[in-house]
Amino acid sequence: ITSNATTISLKWSHSNTQMSKKFRVCYQSEYATDQTCKLTATNEYRMTLENLWPYTNYSIAIDVRPLIYSNQSETGFWSDKYRTGHRTSEDVPVDVPKLLPGYFTQKSNQDTIQFYWQPISRRDRCGVIQSYRATIIDVVEHGEEENRTVLSNISPQSLSYGVNLDP
């Protein structure tokens, strides 16, 4: 098994290489309620699962059916399933923390504001958040150059951050 953030490549073997057979690969993400199943071409021993979600656990089951033809249709029974699991690689988050109405408070000394955000959902994080970065943009008159302050390395466990205001 090899993978990246959005694909898992599977490759396997079978003890009987003489008989024609077809494999069925079923997989399901930890967030899904239904599984997806795909069939390989005859005697194909590999498959790539695509359009997967980053940093997500997938349950994978593979079974095989010998191809026996009777009255021009395939017959034969599916084997017991071989089961495994795999997690896709991390990627950048697909969402940002949400600022809700009333997302800040001004402290009693008027020199500090505390702003709050809602965390990114586990699925949309696409990995482990290392830190947050926020940009504060001063409100200016039309035509004036805006002042930007970038706050870096905000702890990933934080849901708020205090900022001192310069007079």
Side-chain angles (χ1 to χ4, degrees), residues 11-29:
K11 194 175 182 181
W12 61 87
S13 61
H14 192 275
S15 58
N16 182 344
T17 57
Q18 304 303 314
M19 182 179 280
S20 293
K21 60 191 79 55
K22 190 174 278 188
F23 293 90
R24 177 172 57 189
V25 176
C26 297
Y27 60 97
Q28 181 176 351
S29 87

Side-chain angles (χ1 to χ4, degrees), residues 28-45:
Q28 181 176 351
S29 87
E30 62 187 291
Y31 304 112
T33 55
D34 297 323
Q35 66 179 355
T36 301
C37 293
K38 296 182 178 184
L39 296 174
T40 63
T42 301
N43 294 331
E44 183 71 29
Y45 295 88

Side-chain angles (χ1 to χ4, degrees), residues 126-137:
C126 298
V128 178
I129 301 292
Q130 302 297 318
S131 66
Y132 289 113
R133 180 180 62 219
T135 303
I136 299 173
I137 303 171

Side-chain angles (χ1 to χ4, degrees), residues 1 8 10 12 23-29 32 34-40 47-49 52 57-64 78-86:
I1 297 177
I8 296 175
L10 305 166
W12 61 87
F23 293 90
R24 177 172 57 189
V25 176
C26 297
Y27 60 97
Q28 181 176 351
S29 87
D34 297 323
Q35 66 179 355
T36 301
C37 293
K38 296 182 178 184
L39 296 174
T40 63
M47 181 178 285
T48 299
L49 311 178
L52 305 179
N57 292 311
Y58 284 87
S59 300
I60 303 166
I62 303 171
D63 53 358
V64 61
W78 288 104
S79 70
D80 290 337
K81 295 179 185 319
Y82 169 79
R83 297 180 184 279
T84 188
H86 192 77

